[in-house]
Amino acid sequence: MRVLIIGSGGREHAIAWKISKSPLLTKLFCAPGNPGTLAVSENLMIDIEDFESIKKVVIDNSIQMVVVGPEDPLVNGLRDFFESDSQLKEVIFIGPGSCGARLEGSKDFAKAFMQRWGIPTAKYKSFDSSSVNDADRFLESLRAPYVLKADGLAAGKGVLIIDNLREAKSELREILSGKFGKAGDKVVIEEFLQGIELSVFVLTDGENYLILPEAKDYKRICDGDKGLNTGGMGAVSPVPFADKLFMTRVEERVIKPTVEGLKRECPDYKGFVFIGLMNCGGSPYVIEYNVRMGDPETEAVMPRIKSDLLSHLIALGKGELDKEKIEIYNHTALTLVMVSGGYPQEYQKGYEITGIESFKGETLFHSGTADKEGKVVTNGGRVMALTVTESDIIRGRERLYNLIELIDFKDKYFRRDIGLDLI
Ligand code: AMP
Ligand code: GLY
């Protein structure tokens, strides 16, 4: 199988690393990839928002399967583009069409979907600029803190959690007047859920599903989960509180009705479903859906999958996921993200990264890196994600924080508490 992975982050590097181990693989490509994916694939330098250039590389390189990393091409209809093109429609495409991608592309759609299918989630209502007064009444009926969500994609910045009612009303008006652009034409206001978060990942062919290892993400920039929100600073898998009983509840109350709902509303949903959950006293509540894998969760999830991911993806393409069995290692994977000093606000790029050679490309995943005259340099906020696998979190942390010292670049920053809350 000749496979193309679309995207350029640590998530895509981790998927590429896993697929590259498959005996079913003939050749792997990443578009555009990064200096890390070069170790396991050929990088194709194209703009992934330009569907015609994706078509060209797929045809030129006889690609048989496309795996989409980020959400934007999916929300913008890349799968529909493939299906409606006579030269592309036979290509196995891992990712939903624009119908299914609304689960991530519209929070209002996702909430209504959960309501239609009886999936537990926070109580909510949606409002637009014509219903601001109703929104005020709804806010007054809730208790602080107040959760406001821009309906559309807002680069991970569209969720606000606000302690004070007056401020919530004022933020609501700012979102509706364009603070997040068109993404904020509609706002979901919902009840605040108290609990611990985790991410659950499902691979579905629209009928059958496999549950991938779950993970916990560390979202804030500072230790103790303080400070600004980021794309994710680290991850741990498995999540100790996601025991058998809890995961059975997740499967029965969330995964089954989600797959059933998709089957009825958006047939042929083929791809990943990322379910952001809150564990509220043992009961799972859905916070959000994404129609792709998480980053950096993927960097912890992939090293835990023992079975052949490519075999699962081929079966998914044929609608035969029921014939596949996922095997998972018992070990604990810990992922730590090294970021550029200043991130998630302003930061510098272009600093040389040293020490990479000590890892021989194993589970040191590149996120925001670039090649500059033969040297690997920083090229983003999140620069690299290092994953270790060990028998438990204590041993994993010890090894992780020893190994991280081998990598260096100017203004390197990382959290020191990954996994600490789970011991
Ligand atoms: P999102 O951008 O949808 O991932 O949301 C960002 C973060 O906001 C989530 O990871 C949660 O930590 C938090 N969050 C979202 N909705 C709620 C809610 N209803 N109750 C409590 N926290 C929430
Ligand atoms: N780590 C969260 C996400 O990928 O959305």
Side-chain angles (χ1 to χ4, degrees):
M1 177 79 40
R2 297 171 68 84
V3 180
L4 169 66
I5 298 172
I6 300 217
S8 64
R11 167 182 49 210
E12 289 76 21
H13 187 183
I15 295 172
W17 169 85
K18 177 63 184 162
I19 289 182
S20 73
K21 297 181 181 307
S22 171
L24 301 172
L25 181 74
T26 357
K27 174 128 193 182
L28 185 58
F29 300 87
C30 287
N34 63 40
T37 63
L38 263 186
V40 289
S41 77
E42 181 180 333
N43 288 349
L44 304 169
M45 287 303 151
I46 56 165
D47 169 9
I48 60 168
E49 291 304 328
D50 177 2
F51 293 178
E52 287 296 337
S53 63
I54 296 178
K55 174 177 172 175
K56 185 167 182 323
V57 299
V58 166
I59 294 170
D60 289 353
N61 295 289
S62 312
I63 282 157
Q64 296 161 293
M65 175 189 287
V66 172
V67 183
V68 183
E71 64 277 16
D72 292 274
L74 297 170
V75 173
N76 295 334
L78 184 59
R79 160 89 178 271
D80 313 63
F81 175 82
F82 268 65
E83 281 183 344
S84 60
D85 188 299
S86 59
Q87 288 174 285
L88 298 177
K89 65 173 193 275
E90 300 303 325
V91 175
I92 299 175
F93 192 99
I94 309 297
S98 48
C99 177
R102 285 180 298 169
L103 277 189
E104 178 162 1
S106 165
K107 298 213 186 281
D108 177 50
F109 175 84
K111 294 293 285 192
F113 176 89
M114 288 182 244
Q115 234 174 22
R116 284 196 290 282
W117 296 97
I119 297 160
T121 189
K123 189 172 93 176
Y124 85 106
K125 277 190 179 165
S126 298
F127 303 93
D128 60 22
S129 53
S130 70
S131 50
V132 182
N133 292 333
D134 297 339
D136 284 346
R137 299 293 92 72
F138 186 62
L139 280 169
E140 286 157 14
S141 78
L142 298 173
R143 273 194 300 185
Y146 304 94
V147 183
L148 267 51
K149 301 184 173 184
D151 176 53
L153 292 183
K157 299 192 169 74
V159 175
L160 300 176
I161 297 179
I162 301 164
D163 286 324
N164 169 303
L165 180 62
R166 230 186 45 216
E167 204 186 314
K169 288 182 178 176
S170 132
E171 279 291 348
L172 166 75
R173 285 163 174 75
E174 284 197 28
I175 303 174
L176 288 173
S177 350
K179 176 174 183 170
F180 299 119
K182 277 197 73 61
D185 284 354
K186 226 187 256 177
V187 175
V188 168
I189 299 179
E190 67 180 39
E191 175 189 36
F192 181 80
L193 294 172
Q194 198 80 52
I196 324 179
E197 280 181 73
L198 79 158
S199 310
V200 168
F201 303 96
V202 177
L203 199 53
T204 181
D205 59 14
E207 176 86 40
N208 313 290
Y209 59 84
L210 293 178
I211 304 176
L212 306 183
E214 78 287 350
K216 183 178 190 290
D217 178 16
Y218 291 77
K219 286 192 165 60
R220 304 296 187 102
I221 188 74
C222 299
D223 285 5
D225 235 19
K226 304 235 159 50
L228 293 173
N229 223 5
T230 71
M233 298 294 290
V236 177
S237 177
V239 180
F241 64 79
D243 55 15
K244 227 182 160 104
L245 174 65
F246 181 76
M247 289 307 288
T248 305
R249 288 180 178 155
V250 171
E251 183 166 8
E252 293 302 321
R253 299 178 193 176
V254 178
I255 296 175
K256 283 186 180 168
T258 297
V259 173
E260 181 62 22
L262 285 173
K263 189 170 118 186
R264 302 282 192 85
E265 294 188 23
C266 300
D268 279 339
Y269 187 111
K270 286 190 195 310
F272 296 100
V273 188
F274 164 157
I275 309 173
L277 289 172
M278 192 72 91
N279 175 352
C280 302
S283 297
Y285 283 79
V286 177
I287 293 193
E288 61 163 350
Y289 288 112
N290 295 310
V291 298
R292 49 162 176 94
M293 289 295 290
D295 196 344
E297 292 97 322
T298 307
E299 291 93 306
V301 166
M302 290 298 145
R304 288 203 61 226
I305 302 177
K306 188 175 180 186
S307 45
D308 183 350
L309 178 66
L310 184 52
S311 164
H312 301 329
L313 296 178
I314 293 170
L316 184 155
K318 295 184 188 151
E320 294 178 351
L321 219 39
D322 53 325
K323 297 190 180 145
E324 294 288 294
K325 219 174 128 51
I326 184 160
E327 288 174 83
I328 294 169
Y329 290 113
N330 281 327
H331 59 219
T332 292
L334 279 104
T335 300
L336 177 61
V337 180
M338 288 163 267
V339 306
S340 301
Y343 172 80
Q345 290 173 296
E346 264 180 44
Y347 57 83
Q348 299 292 319
K349 293 182 186 176
Y351 294 135
E352 184 179 351
I353 306 169
T354 57
I356 298 173
E357 61 291 344
S358 329
F359 294 87
K360 292 197 199 78
E362 264 304 284
T363 46
L364 175 66
F365 300 115
H366 291 228
S367 303
T369 68
D371 179 276
K372 192 173 155 196
E373 292 151 12
K375 288 181 176 151
V376 179
V377 298
T378 63
N379 192 42
R382 293 191 292 173
V383 176
M384 290 190 145
L386 175 63
T387 298
V388 300
T389 51
E390 277 288 345
S391 55
D392 58 59
I393 295 178
I394 295 178
R395 285 198 180 84
R397 276 181 46 84
E398 222 174 271
R399 205 150 79 78
L400 185 67
Y401 284 102
N402 279 327
L403 287 176
I404 204 85
E405 295 302 335
L406 297 175
I407 297 286
D408 207 17
F409 55 88
K410 190 165 183 269
D411 299 337
K412 173 176 91 165
Y413 171 81
F414 54 86
R415 272 178 66 161
R416 301 216 165 247
D417 66 342
I418 302 305
L420 206 53
D421 56 321
L422 298 174
I423 293 172

